[in-house]
Amino acid sequence: MPSSWGARAADLRARVLPWLERLPRFAVVFLRVVVALAAAGAIGTYLVLGIIHLRFPFEIEWMEGGLVDEVRRALDGQKLYVKPTVEYVPFLYAPLYFYVAAAFSKVLGVGFFSARLVSYLASIAGIALIARIVHRETGRKHAALLAAGVYAGTYPLSAGFFDLARVDSLFVLLLLAALYVARFGRSMSSAVGAAALFTLALLTKQSASVIFVPVAAYLVLAGWRRGLVFAASGAAMMVGSVVVLDRLHDGWFWWFVFWLPRQHPWVARMWVDFWLEDLMRPLSVSCLLALFYVMVDRRVFSGDPRAAAPGDARRDAEPADAPRVAEAGGAQLQGTDAAVPPPSAHVSAFALSFRDGRYFYLFAAAGMLGASWAGRLHAGGWPNVIMPGFAILAILFGLGVHAATVAAAELSAPRRHRLEAFLLVLAAVQFACLAYDPSRYAPKPLDAKAGEHLLDKIRKVEGEVFIPSHGHLATLAGKRPYAHEMAIADILGIDGGSAGADLRADIEKAILQKRFGAIFSDTDFFKKEIQQAYRQEGKVFEDKKVFWPVTGFRVRPERIYLPKSTSTSRPSIPRR
């Protein structure tokens, strides 16, 4: 007979071993919850920051005020693209954002709140659309949540531009909507609809044309009739809208939106740094899973030549939600890993192969990343230009996680659980790489107080004021704004031809003739001319820590200049 100790040991083994065998499954469940919470946390953090920004009454980024002034111009029915003068110089953006923000402003009033609200709502819709795309491809809410969380987590990588009074979030939303219709639509009318959305994206930011071309190429390869309808209607709408807008603005629309940006120099280091620093360093896991999704066939794992590759479930199925279950030759249609109905006789094998979802996202990624790369190569391209690239990488992250999980399902239980746990650890590492301190992007109460103090100073100036880097402050003080320094630099930085020469002469004349009652300066903008006609009265702020933009170019009004006078009495601005 076995000893009592042996019996107890055998009994202990019988009780413990089943739990040990279940441990990998518990680890998978635990990790799924952890990464889901990380994704939800990234989304929630951004939503809170957006609400904080909506309430802040001053610039969060130095160009915001200039764009709000342009929104006011659109609301007043004035042309956005005219000959540049010291009074007004357009930014190098297409007009749609300004008119959408003007529509909001008509109801809510012109200001930062209404202009930021457009971007805030567009960014939320963009996050939701990323989740929708991944959910429709995979049928998995978990993968959709992770994709949405990764995009929300790239908020600091875009320099916090998601919810600013800038064009970027509306641009990304229109691109995602165009990709959604192009991917899941099947009719000719959906092709026209996708082309119309690309046209609206072009009218928000001109780099949409870079993305339109590879998407059109994919659709032609996947089904030439629908592809040609998409390409032809898109080209017609884009060219037509540009021609009409250029005629309405007497040639200045083309000059500002297309000709002038092409004159700016390239940033040589961005040929490599874009891929290594902007993408690979913070998003290496997303890049890895994106490559897995578009490059690796499921058959590598299953050994079954008939196994569907990621994305095949949508090749010929109607655009229905992934969770729908349909019998197809004994298999269930679920997510991207189901059998599909047999192709129609008139569909070529070549076109059928391109209907694989992987090819669509490969072409879409080429366009989205290509547009982002071109933006960074362009002198002055801030990280916000990478937002389309972040969006497509977030989608591919979700699709890659799901595809790898499906591949792991072909393995035996212990190996499957270990591989799935490894994938979830990688996902957790990705969210850890995107972690940031949200207080870094929250303006402080002292900033608002300092801004009100500055407005008091501006109001007490007799006559107009020139604040080159923050012209909207003059608007807030009840005075008229003048051209923004960034818009001026876009022209004078590359000479700008006769228009640039006239602009330079106009600014010099206004300064030397002492047109302004005061100039609030923070850079060396026309410093020689200012010091020739004006004297420095003092500093704007005594506190070195207040009223700095929380993102973007770090500038604030620093010095006050008043016109030089030959009289003994010298006017001054009262101080507190």
Side-chain angles (χ1 to χ4, degrees):
M1 290 182 64
S3 67
S4 60
W5 286 107
R8 290 178 182 179
D11 182 62
L12 182 63
R13 281 198 302 271
R15 292 174 179 271
V16 171
L17 284 178
W19 286 98
L20 292 177
E21 291 173 356
R22 295 174 190 169
L23 192 59
R25 292 178 59 190
F26 292 151
V28 168
V29 172
F30 174 76
L31 288 170
R32 284 174 64 85
V33 172
V34 167
V35 295
L37 289 175
I43 297 170
T45 300
Y46 166 64
L47 294 179
V48 172
L49 277 175
I51 293 173
I52 293 172
H53 290 169
L54 285 174
R55 300 175 59 190
F56 189 66
F58 296 101
E59 290 174 330
I60 293 173
E61 184 269 342
W62 81 304
M63 285 174 58
E64 271 196 308
L67 270 76
V68 172
D69 288 332
E70 201 158 340
V71 169
R72 183 185 298 275
R73 188 178 179 92
L75 188 60
D76 291 341
Q78 297 177 276
K79 290 183 178 180
L80 295 184
Y81 307 97
V82 294
K83 182 177 180 179
T85 65
V86 68
E87 285 83 10
Y88 171 70
V89 178
F91 287 103
L92 308 184
Y93 296 122
L96 184 61
Y97 168 81
F98 301 107
Y99 287 109
V100 173
F104 275 64
S105 300
K106 196 170 184 66
V107 178
L108 302 171
V110 182
F112 291 117
F113 177 82
S114 54
R116 287 175 189 151
L117 185 61
V118 174
S119 295
Y120 186 55
L121 294 178
S123 64
I124 293 172
I127 291 170
L129 196 49
I130 286 172
R132 172 62 176 160
I133 289 171
V134 174
H135 183 262
R136 185 149 183 182
E137 291 284 7
T138 66
R140 296 290 184 264
K141 293 179 181 179
H142 190 262
L145 176 61
L146 297 191
V150 164
Y151 182 64
T154 62
Y155 176 78
L157 303 184
S158 70
F161 274 52
F162 278 25
D163 58 337
L164 300 186
R166 299 293 295 263
V167 306
D168 303 280
S169 281
L170 180 60
F171 176 58
V172 172
L173 173 61
L174 291 168
L175 289 176
L176 291 171
L179 293 178
Y180 183 89
V181 176
R183 169 68 177 133
F184 298 111
R186 291 293 181 268
S187 64
M188 297 302 174
S189 60
S190 69
V192 176
L197 287 167
F198 265 112
T199 302
L200 292 176
L202 179 77
L203 295 178
T204 305
K205 203 169 185 180
Q206 52 271 53
S207 55
S209 57
V210 178
I211 304 163
F212 175 79
V213 172
V215 173
Y218 166 82
L219 291 177
V220 170
L221 292 169
W224 66 269
R225 289 185 179 86
R226 185 168 179 264
L228 286 180
V229 168
F230 172 81
S233 59
M237 285 187 279
M238 289 181 182
V239 172
S241 61
V242 169
V243 170
V244 169
L245 284 169
D246 196 51
R247 290 192 176 183
L248 288 175
H249 293 89
D250 302 316
W252 289 110
F253 172 78
W254 178 268
W255 196 86
F256 277 103
V257 176
F258 292 99
W259 181 83
L260 189 58
R262 290 205 304 268
Q263 313 310 309
H264 291 168
W266 298 99
V267 180
R269 66 182 180 84
M270 280 300 163
W271 289 104
V272 175
D273 282 2
F274 170 78
W275 301 101
L276 297 182
E277 301 297 327
D278 291 342
L279 297 184
M280 289 300 298
R281 182 184 293 272
L283 291 164
S284 55
V285 174
S286 293
C287 293
L288 179 65
L289 288 170
L291 287 174
F292 175 85
Y293 178 75
V294 299
M295 301 293 290
V296 179
D297 196 303
R298 234 188 84 190
R299 288 169 289 190
V300 171
F301 294 85
S302 67
D304 182 0
R306 298 170 298 174
D312 277 350
R314 299 294 176 191
R315 289 187 310 186
D316 297 291
E318 290 300 315
D321 290 341
R324 289 182 57 189
V325 178
E327 295 298 328
Q332 286 188 326
L333 176 61
Q334 186 178 19
T336 59
D337 304 291
V340 297
S344 302
H346 67 275
V347 179
S348 69
F350 180 77
L352 183 61
S353 68
F354 267 89
R355 291 186 183 181
D356 185 334
R358 295 179 302 168
Y359 289 113
F360 175 82
Y361 293 105
L362 178 62
F363 278 71
M368 301 280 265
L369 293 173
S372 301
W373 192 18
R376 286 295 269 163
L377 284 168
H378 177 274
W382 211 252
N384 59 297
V385 302
I386 319 175
M387 285 170 59
F390 293 151
I392 195 65
L393 282 177
I395 291 171
L396 289 171
F397 173 82
L399 296 178
V401 168
H402 175 72
T405 302
V406 170
E410 303 291 340
L411 304 174
S412 59
R415 295 176 62 194
R416 179 176 72 248
H417 294 146
R418 285 196 293 269
L419 181 54
E420 189 172 354
F422 175 72
L423 291 171
L424 292 170
V425 168
L426 283 181
V429 169
Q430 178 61 92
F431 282 107
C433 292
L434 294 175
Y436 64 97
D437 178 8
S439 66
R440 159 72 178 77
Y441 295 92
K444 307 300 187 291
L446 285 177
D447 294 325
K449 185 177 180 180
E452 293 295 340
H453 175 46
L454 174 56
L455 292 183
D456 287 341
K457 287 189 174 185
I458 296 172
R459 292 188 186 104
K460 291 172 182 176
V461 174
E462 294 184 7
E464 299 299 330
V465 297
F466 188 28
I467 315 174
S469 297
H470 311 276
H472 188 66
L473 288 171
T475 307
L476 295 177
K479 299 179 183 291
R480 64 149 299 165
Y482 286 85
H484 194 281
E485 180 178 340
M486 186 67 248
I488 295 170
D490 281 332
I491 299 174
L492 301 187
I494 52 99
D495 185 45
S498 60
D502 291 345
L503 174 60
R504 183 182 296 276
D506 193 35
I507 296 172
E508 289 176 349
K509 180 180 177 181
I511 294 173
L512 295 176
Q513 291 184 354
K514 303 174 186 177
R515 177 173 171 179
F516 309 108
I519 296 176
F520 290 72
S521 176
D522 50 7
T523 66
D524 291 336
F525 179 82
F526 282 84
K527 183 177 181 179
K528 178 181 177 182
E529 290 77 9
I530 291 174
Q531 291 181 341
Q532 184 176 341
Y534 290 75
R535 58 181 172 79
Q536 184 173 343
E537 174 67 12
K539 292 184 177 181
V540 177
F541 301 106
E542 298 298 331
D543 191 336
K544 296 181 179 181
K545 297 181 179 179
V546 299
F547 208 67
W548 294 102
V550 299
T551 189
F553 189 37
R554 187 174 168 82
V555 288
R556 67 174 187 174
E558 291 282 7
R559 298 173 295 277
I560 305 173
Y561 290 91
L562 299 179
K564 288 182 177 179
S565 174
T566 56
S567 62
T568 55
S569 61
R570 294 165 46 160
S572 62
I573 298 177
R575 299 183 183 179
R576 287 186 181 177

